[in-house]
Amino acid sequence: MSFVLAIDQGTTSSRAMVFRSDISVAATAQAEFPQHFPASGWVEHEPEDIWTSTVTVCREALEKAGLKAKDIAAIGITNQRETTVVWDRATGRAVHRAIVWQDRRTSDICARLKAEGHEPTISARSGLIIDPYFSGTKVAWILDHVPGARERAGRGELMFGTVDCYLLWRLTGGKVHVTDATNASRTLLFNIHTGDWDDELLKILRVPRSMLPEVKDSSAKFGETVPDLFGGPIAISGIAGDQQAATIGQACFTPGMIKSTYGTGCFALLNTGTTPVTSRNKLLTTIAYQLNGKRTYALEGSIFVAGSAVQWLRDGLGIIKQASETGPLADKSDSMQSVYLVPAFVGLGAPHWNPRVRGALFGLTRNTGPAELAHAALESVCYQTFDLWAAMRADWPDATAANIVLRVDGGMTASDWTMQRLADLLDAPVDRPMIQETTALGAAYLAGLNAGVYPEPEKFADNWRLEHRFKPAMSKATRERKLAGWARAVKGVLASDEGE
C-alpha cells in the first residue's frame, strides 16, 4: 500500500487528495459547503455539512484514482483551526452549529477576561492572546447560550472538539475522541509547555475537562474508519491544523525556516525549534508539530486580509474580473504615485491585534485609478508580511535577514508580481515550491510517516522542490522610502481607533 489519503477540511470547502509514495498527486476532489451568518460578525457552519462534504470528496478522490480502501496505507487530516464543535456524547448530534474561527461574537467575553486581569496567565500558559479567534471562548459561549448545555457538560454528556477531532470521531464511528497537539494549542485551554490541558485555564474559561479530547502526537495511530464508509477500514495516522500542516508540507523542519501561506488571509510560521519563544510583539507562540512526544514550536503571525484584498478589487470595486488580472494591472501603475492601502476591513491582525480599526487608502491623487489601486492592494500583503517578519526578528534574536528561508504557498503566490515585490520589500529571497498543495501534503506526510510510506523529516525535506526563487532587486533607498510610507499609513489607521 503506497497511497495516502489527505483530508483538507477548510473554511469554505472540503477537499480530499490521494498522494503516491513519491508525493505526486493521484487524484483530487473538492466540494464547497454553505456558510451561515446569523448576525453581524457571526460565522457558522453546519457540522453535518462539514461531515457529508468530507465523506463525499474522499469517496470521489478514491474513485478518480481507481483505488479501494485496501490500497490506502493511511488517512491524514488537516483542518480549519479554532472552529468549534460541541456535540452529544450519546447521539453524536451537535448542540449548536460550529462556530467558525472568523466569528467575533465572543468579543464581550474576551473584554471581560482582559478586564479581570487574566491575559498574562493565559498568554504564559497557552502562548496565545485573548481574542475571539480562539476556541476557548467559543466553547464557553455555547455552554452559556444553549439551554441546559452547561449542566449537561457538567454531567459529562457533551464533547468538544475542533474540526479534526469531530471528523475523527465520526470517521471512527464514535470510538475515538482525540486531537493532536497543534490543534490543542489553538484553544486557549492547552498548556504548550506541559503538553496537557491546563486546569487553571479551564477554570478561567469555565470549560469542564470531561468535554476535552485526548491529545496525541501529530503523527500517531488515531484509529481506523468504520468499514462501511469507504468499503473497508483505513488507518487514520496524521492530524495537524492547516497552517502547521502547510509548515510540514513546506519541509520547514529547521529552526529559522519560515513559511507564509497566502489565502483569504496570510499566516506566517517561523520554526523556533524545541524552545517556545515568548513574543513581545503580539505574535503567537504555538506548536508547529509534535513527533515522538517531542514538541517543536513556532512563532506565528496572522494577517486577516491578503487574498480578500484582491476579492475586494473584484467584487467591491469591480475593477477586475478575475484575480489573475491584478498583477498585470499593477504593473501599469504610475510610478510617481505612492498609494497605500491598509486593508483593515475586519481590523488589524499581528502585530497590532486591533479589531476596531478599519481600512483606509492614503496618497490618493486626481490621477489615481484602477492600476494604482491594484498596485496598493498587492503591495499591502507584502508590507504586512514585512511587519510580521520584523516582529519575528525582534522576538527571536537567532532570526536574521542573512539566514531567512521564506517558503510561500497559497493562491496569491501564482502572482509573480506580488512575489517579486515581497522579495524586494523583505530584502530576502522568496521560494515558491513545485507542489503548491502544501497543506494537504503536510497531512499526508504525517499519516504516511506513521504508516511507513514516507521517511523521517530530514529525508522527506530532500523531496522539496523549488519552482521559482524570487530575488530582491529593489534599491535600498526605494525600499526604505516605501516602508516608511507604509508605517505612516498604519499609524494613521491605528490613530483612528475610537475605542469600544
Side-chain angles (χ1 to χ4, degrees), residues 361-376:
L361 278 161
F362 294 86
L364 299 181
T365 71
R366 181 67 180 81
N367 201 35
T368 299
E372 288 71 35
L373 294 179
H375 184 128

Side-chain angles (χ1 to χ4, degrees), residues 25 66 77 169 199 203 291 329 343 393 460 467:
V25 178
I77 301 172
W169 194 82
D199 287 329
K203 181 181 176 184
L291 301 175
L329 184 60
R393 280 190 292 177
F460 177 72
E467 184 266 332

Side-chain angles (χ1 to χ4, degrees), residues 124-126 189-198 201 287 295:
R125 297 178 183 224
S126 72
L189 305 171
F190 188 75
N191 189 314
I192 63 170
H193 309 285
T194 64
D196 194 9
W197 303 112
D198 190 286
L201 299 181
I287 295 174
R295 290 181 292 281

